[in-house]
Amino acid sequence: MFKRPRGTRDFLADEMSKRRTAEQILRATFESFGYKEIGTPTFENLDLVTAKSGEDIVEHLYCFKDKGGRDIALRPELTAPVMRLYVNELQRTPKPVKLYYFGNCFRYERPQSGRYREFWQAGIELIGTDRAEGEAEVIAVAFDVLKNLGLKDFELHIGHIGILRKILEESSVPENEQNSILNTIDKGDGEELEGLLHRLGVMEEDREKLLKILELRGQEKEVLPGAYRILEGSKALEELKRFEMILDLLKVFDVEFTVNLGIARGLDYYTGMVFEIYANRLGAEKQICGGGTYSLVETFGGEDTPSCGFAFGFDRLLLALELEKKGVQVECKTRFFVVPTDQKLLKDAMKISVIVRKIGPCEIDLMGRKLKKAMAYASNHEIPFVFIVGEEELRRGMVILKNMGTGEQREVEIARLTMDR
Ligand code: HAM
């Protein structure tokens, strides 16, 4: 017996069918906002993947040297590859550039429920605008995905890394050290954070501001006045005003959200608004979506361009739907089944299946089964219509069509099947 590599999965037909159905809903939602699908390679040069990705991701990379001695990594996410593509191919395209993707990603993590070494992400990137309506729309797309999938039990938390970065800038903390602080915030270790702030020389006043801001979580009306008070006289106030504009516009889309200024995200490229969606029923790995406003174009050699996006963890999304006992509805795709009453009519049955397949997905008995057993197969697979090819009917140019739901059967003219198509 060969085993699958740790942290990977096989998907049986039913599971795959559910995944495809959900994928279609995601695609349709992205496209309803004007996003266009793009594709990028499964592996990238290591340096692309490590630039501004953050400690957490770099630690969990699948990387290797290829036969030409190049350092290669399996993609751990798709934002960096999409931005590489943007810089190389799309910088001259009229703005905004609206892209979406669906693809497998790889992270060498300890596998558990909802955390895999190969998993799928579905996401969007809005490139070339830093207006509040763009950022609000990005969040609304994520919210619409969940509405269209019918997920009920989830929380959308929105924060703003720009506020946190501005507080740190006031203590002259350089960007790479800001990133270490944000990573530590993301890990949620308070003691380590306090130690690090000390070590990096963050001034007492800014340290207090930061720690107080990180605590703020709740409804907008309850949280924002406190934030304004804490940030009085600080450069971060401008960022807070921008944040408020985004939240205000979100009401147009009826998006329900919690303000959470403690969100730091695990990736180093974020610069402004950030958000995460949690499906509480998933337990430890409850984050089904993450995203925000970031800066990567300049890092990849392009002209500074504001961008904003998110990615759903597709596998977690499906788990969350299953836990709500909703799952994704799947129908049997095969609509017709053709079976001869006698093996000597096999070729005639095959010919009929070729015609019927033009009307809809059609299977034919491939096991040389007797009629009764073949009908049982069609019934087990919930195939709604069966064409029974009998000698006497064939002579008259007819075939029997049985409706498996009602049990009703009637004769149909073979010539008409050809005409109907
Ligand atoms: P991320 O939060 O690292 O963000 O990943 C996005 C989502 O992928 C997570 O919320 C989670 O649902 C899922 N995910 C991550 N790791 C695993 C895993 N090991 N197994 C299963 N699911 C996982 C990003 O990747 C950013 N590129 C999102 C983004 C797009 N930001 C701006 N644009």
Side-chain angles (χ1 to χ4, degrees):
M1 285 272 282
F2 290 107
K3 285 196 176 146
R4 275 181 278 115
R6 217 164 116 72
T8 63
R9 287 152 301 150
D10 293 316
F11 303 110
L12 295 180
D14 259 6
E15 180 71 19
M16 211 52 217
S17 181
K18 285 180 191 166
R19 290 173 73 89
R20 287 288 181 238
T21 307
E23 190 182 321
Q24 277 316 316
I25 295 174
L26 279 149
R27 285 176 198 281
T29 312
F30 295 160
E31 285 169 15
S32 76
F33 282 85
Y35 287 81
K36 306 252 182 328
E37 184 170 11
I38 44 126
T40 62
T42 310
F43 54 87
E44 294 276 354
N45 290 320
L46 180 66
D47 51 1
L48 175 106
V49 173
T50 51
K52 285 215 186 180
S53 276
E55 291 162 17
D56 203 42
I57 288 214
V58 173
E59 221 174 277
H60 294 125
L61 278 180
Y62 266 96
C63 42
F64 55 94
K65 267 198 196 305
D66 71 6
K67 288 181 182 165
R70 300 171 199 90
D71 286 309
I72 298 291
L74 298 184
R75 61 185 177 198
E77 55 110 45
L78 280 134
T79 305
V82 170
M83 297 318 281
R84 171 191 54 67
L85 176 147
Y86 168 80
V87 171
N88 295 346
E89 317 271 351
L90 298 171
Q91 284 200 83
R92 286 167 200 275
T93 311
K95 307 289 179 297
V97 176
K98 300 169 103 175
L99 307 174
Y100 84 83
Y101 48 81
F102 191 96
N104 52 349
C105 298
F106 305 85
R107 295 187 193 177
Y108 195 81
E109 297 187 279
R110 203 161 47 80
Q112 61 188 75
S113 168
R115 196 204 282 171
Y116 311 102
R117 291 186 174 172
E118 183 189 28
F119 61 98
W120 273 257
Q121 281 194 349
I124 66 167
E125 308 298 345
L126 171 68
I127 309 164
T129 173
D130 60 357
R131 294 179 62 83
E133 56 268 39
E135 296 175 292
E137 195 188 86
V138 166
I139 300 174
V141 177
F143 192 80
D144 256 23
V145 162
L146 299 180
K147 225 170 48 189
N148 294 341
L149 282 170
L151 192 76
K152 293 271 178 308
D153 189 7
F154 67 87
E155 285 177 36
L156 164 63
H157 285 219
I158 313 177
H160 202 287
I161 278 184
I163 296 174
L164 313 182
R165 286 195 187 274
K166 273 279 164 358
I167 297 173
L168 295 171
E169 268 174 30
E170 286 189 317
S171 270
S172 308
V173 178
E175 193 187 314
N176 62 335
E177 290 180 356
Q178 288 175 20
N179 294 341
S180 306
I181 293 172
L182 291 169
N183 270 301
T184 312
I185 297 172
D186 187 54
K187 283 189 204 129
D189 185 337
E191 253 176 57
E192 196 187 327
L193 175 64
E194 295 226 22
L196 187 64
L197 293 173
H198 258 295
R199 247 180 296 131
L200 296 178
V202 177
M203 290 183 299
E204 180 73 35
E205 190 192 337
D206 295 328
R207 197 163 59 223
E208 257 179 39
K209 263 187 210 155
L210 183 75
L211 294 176
K212 277 192 194 151
I213 284 286
L214 292 178
E215 296 279 297
L216 293 180
R217 180 181 301 196
Q219 291 311 301
E220 185 190 354
K221 272 190 254 136
E222 296 154 14
V223 168
L224 284 197
Y228 273 105
R229 238 175 289 125
I230 297 166
L231 296 179
E232 219 176 273
S234 154
K235 274 196 225 154
L237 210 55
E238 278 307 305
E239 302 288 325
L240 182 59
K241 284 184 190 152
R242 274 197 57 89
F243 184 49
E244 194 175 7
M245 277 165 69
I246 300 168
L247 301 184
D248 189 46
L249 290 173
L250 274 178
K251 291 169 201 144
V252 178
F253 298 100
D254 287 330
V255 171
E256 289 153 35
F257 59 87
T258 301
V259 174
N260 182 351
L261 287 168
I263 299 180
R265 309 277 302 130
L267 295 137
D268 285 351
Y269 47 62
Y270 293 104
T271 52
M273 178 280 292
V274 280
F275 70 103
E276 292 182 343
I277 304 178
Y278 313 115
N280 293 320
R281 293 184 195 202
L282 290 184
E285 304 302 323
K286 65 180 181 178
Q287 194 193 304
I288 54 172
C289 179
T293 299
Y294 59 91
S295 162
L296 265 182
V297 177
E298 231 180 347
T299 314
F300 294 167
E303 235 172 73
D304 189 19
T305 310
S307 352
C308 185
F310 65 75
F312 272 102
F314 183 64
D315 314 85
R316 291 187 191 172
L317 200 52
L318 288 172
L319 278 176
L321 282 165
E322 291 289 337
L323 287 175
E324 286 193 12
K325 302 247 179 308
K326 249 186 231 87
V328 178
Q329 292 297 322
V330 281
E331 275 175 33
C332 166
K333 293 226 176 76
T334 306
R335 285 195 53 74
F336 303 107
F337 190 69
V338 182
V339 54
T341 52
D342 193 293
Q343 280 307 298
K344 66 180 187 215
L345 304 175
L346 180 65
K347 269 195 178 163
D348 300 284
M350 286 171 81
K351 261 187 213 151
I352 290 174
S353 78
V354 172
I355 298 168
V356 172
R357 196 160 293 123
K358 308 245 160 87
I359 312 171
C362 174
E363 282 186 57
I364 183 165
D365 179 53
L366 297 174
M367 302 293 288
R369 274 188 280 231
K370 294 246 156 45
L371 184 62
K372 204 166 152 205
K373 288 226 166 113
M375 296 301 277
Y377 172 91
S379 165
N380 275 336
H381 286 77
E382 295 174 17
I383 301 174
F385 298 102
V386 177
F387 283 100
I388 302 167
V389 183
E391 194 167 14
E392 196 267 323
E393 289 83 10
L394 259 186
R395 220 175 290 127
R396 289 187 283 112
M398 306 294 272
V399 61
I400 297 168
L401 174 62
K402 178 166 179 158
N403 179 327
M404 298 294 279
T406 60
E408 181 199 334
Q409 60 182 58
R410 65 190 168 90
E411 286 187 4
V412 289
E413 217 177 308
I414 297 171
R416 272 206 68 87
L417 284 179
T418 330
M419 261 164 51
D420 282 349
R421 74 184 165 87

